[in-house]
Amino acid sequence: MTTYERYLVAKEIYAEMGVDTDAAIEAVKRIPISMHCWQGDDVNGFLFQDIALSGGIQTTGNYPGRARTADELRQDLTFALGMIPSKHRLNLHAIYADTDEKVDLDGLEVRHFASWLDWAKEMGVGLDYNATCFSHPMADSGFTISSADKTVRDFWIAHCKGTRRISEAFGRELNTKCVTNFWFPDGYKDIPVDREGPRYRMMTALDEVMSEKMDPRYHLDALESKVFGIGAESYTVSSNEFALGYAASRGIAYTLDAGHFHPTEVISDKVSSVLLYTKELLLHVSRPVRWDSDHVVILDDELNAIAQALVRTGLVERTHIGLDYFDASINRVAAWVIGTRNMCKALLKAYLEPTAKLMQLELEGDYTSRLALTEELKTYPFAAVWDYYCELMGVPVRDAWLSEVKEYERKVLSVR
Ligand code: RNT
Ligand code: ZN
């Protein structure tokens, strides 16, 4: 049987449940995933040489083939995108500026990203962006924009202001809104006396950063929260309450990272709450294993739950889906392909639910049928629809991409 024939059988099985598989494919095709550039080089970037990753995050592993230049990273990204169905976006961090100029984070301008813009145009992908408030001597104290030291604070305010200008320029140039994320690692290893001061300083510093009006067609601000980081175990300035409160009161987006909450909390349950109070939401889909370990995203229950939270009630329209993980212990291109394909799979799977029917059963209080159907749906022939979607989009079906990645590793990655 061909992929298409298998699809036709699956289409009929889903139709009996009231699900239109063609419509599901059309829906998932329209949702771009913002692929994070930093998986390709272990969050090093190209702006500074020999600088250690800081801010309480960590990559582990030394798998050969890490991209050492922006050209190599683009080559890897281009290859990875060729293994993922439909059009997606690229999420850049400020440290990925591609320039020979000696420039610090507070002096970055859009011209330092000219090569990225060229690539994005050529690929037809949109760009998203991030301030890099770590891996820099000015972040050595553990505080950046909330530092009590005005010199340090002003440096990061300048960096963040420039970040927004670059973001708007990306959006304007590519004619697609650039979502810019702000994440600050600021926090204390040990128990602080004053929990308010740093938060007050961060709030007022952010207000200064945000004071410049940007065109909302081209730029969106998002603020990320975190429960703790390595070296900031006792107190994190941009906690959930801080970041959500700031985002809701200032009319910007909130960023939910799957690894930034207590172990029994899940972001799939937070989506519907956040979007009652903010217009837009940014996700950093990640996989925490015992801590914010940023493992490659797998098709687990939480990934499916995230996709369901977005798709069932249409909140996907107000959500920007980004990925945030970095694994240096496996082929990094494969890491992109695996995680991004999984995000697409989870979305397609969510679109293949008879949502209206399930909602009706719930409203009627028929929880027996709700459980029965949601469980039965787990073994519906999803794979046949996914395979057909890949074939339709002209990307490898099932694990056929793996041999291509291995070939790429032999030819390109292993000779670096
Ligand atoms: C860190 C945050 C942040 C970073 C990236 C590199 O805990 O999740 O989003 O991972 O900006
Ligand atoms: Zn994140």
Side-chain angles (χ1 to χ4, degrees), residues 91-385:
N91 198 6
L92 281 176
H93 241 284
I95 45 170
Y96 288 80
D98 183 17
T99 175
D100 294 332
E101 266 177 62
K102 268 245 150 299
V103 55
D104 206 347
L105 289 172
D106 57 346
L108 283 175
E109 289 178 27
V110 69
R111 66 191 158 86
H112 300 120
F113 293 87
S115 61
W116 285 109
L117 274 170
D118 288 344
W119 178 85
K121 280 180 198 159
E122 198 185 306
M123 295 289 293
V125 305
L127 290 179
D128 295 309
Y129 195 46
N130 296 260
T132 308
C133 303
F134 52 86
S135 302
H136 190 282
M138 279 293 209
D140 281 351
S141 67
F143 286 85
T144 64
I145 206 162
S146 71
S147 170
D149 180 340
K150 191 170 182 312
T151 317
V152 174
R153 220 162 55 235
D154 285 347
F155 174 83
W156 293 107
I157 289 174
H159 170 54
C160 292
K161 281 185 165 176
T163 294
R164 296 179 77 241
R165 287 184 208 123
I166 291 167
S167 168
E168 193 200 49
F170 281 170
R172 199 180 289 278
E173 193 70 28
L174 300 170
N175 197 27
T176 169
K177 185 162 72 180
C178 176
V179 182
T180 281
N181 186 48
F182 291 96
W183 170 66
F184 305 100
D186 302 30
Y188 283 118
K189 180 182 177 73
D190 227 325
I191 308 158
V193 174
D194 178 7
R195 289 177 179 269
E196 187 196 20
R199 290 193 170 124
Y200 183 77
R201 286 192 294 270
M202 185 176 283
M203 180 182 76
T204 46
L206 278 175
D207 281 346
E208 188 179 336
V209 168
M210 305 288 167
S211 63
E212 201 167 322
K213 285 280 155 277
M214 295 291 162
D215 191 327
R217 284 175 300 172
Y218 303 124
H219 166 78
L220 174 70
D221 296 294
L223 180 62
E224 184 172 8
S225 72
K226 187 162 179 171
V227 64
F228 79 93
I230 301 297
E233 289 86 353
S234 302
Y235 171 78
T236 297
V237 182
S238 186
S239 60
N240 175 42
E241 292 74 10
F242 176 89
L244 178 57
Y246 190 86
S249 59
R250 289 355 185 233
I252 67 167
Y254 179 42
T255 307
L256 282 174
D257 182 309
H260 289 195
F261 295 88
H262 290 281
T264 59
E265 282 185 275
V266 281
I267 63 165
S268 53
D269 186 47
K270 298 181 186 294
V271 169
S272 54
S273 298
V274 172
L275 282 171
L276 285 177
Y277 304 107
T278 68
K279 221 171 88 194
E280 289 172 84
L281 169 69
L282 172 61
L283 296 185
H284 272 191
V285 182
S286 188
R287 179 166 53 109
V289 178
R290 305 191 190 284
W291 70 291
D292 182 29
S293 59
D294 295 296
H295 277 60
V296 177
V297 167
I298 59 172
L299 189 60
D300 56 10
D301 286 349
E302 171 61 358
L303 192 69
N304 284 312
I306 290 170
Q308 288 161 350
L310 297 177
V311 165
R312 284 176 177 167
T313 48
L315 293 176
V316 68
E317 300 296 333
R318 292 196 280 141
T319 305
H320 305 271
I321 307 172
L323 304 174
D324 183 10
Y325 56 79
F326 22 98
D327 190 337
S329 74
I330 60 171
N331 180 307
R332 296 170 184 80
V333 174
W336 269 321
V337 176
I338 295 165
T340 315
R341 279 175 70 110
N342 280 337
M343 188 68 244
C344 298
K345 279 182 211 164
L347 288 166
L348 179 60
K349 214 162 198 260
Y351 276 116
L352 288 168
E353 282 186 347
T355 310
K357 183 187 211 141
L358 295 174
M359 291 219 184
Q360 187 57 32
L361 292 170
E362 185 165 275
L363 283 175
E364 286 164 4
D366 186 353
Y367 305 142
T368 308
S369 301
R370 178 182 65 181
L371 183 61
L373 292 189
T374 49
E375 283 304 297
E376 286 304 330
L377 277 163
K378 287 182 179 171
T379 49
Y380 263 53
F382 164 72
V385 184

Side-chain angles (χ1 to χ4, degrees), residues 22-34 85-89 176 310-311 314-321 344 347-348 351 389 392-393:
D22 292 331
I25 284 175
E26 279 313 308
V28 80
K29 220 159 86 177
R30 289 190 305 107
I31 303 175
I33 311 298
S34 191
S86 199
K87 279 265 174 240
H88 298 284
R89 302 175 64 84
T176 169
L310 297 177
V311 165
L315 293 176
V316 68
E317 300 296 333
R318 292 196 280 141
T319 305
H320 305 271
I321 307 172
C344 298
L347 288 166
L348 179 60
Y351 276 116
Y389 176 49
L392 197 69
M393 296 285 98

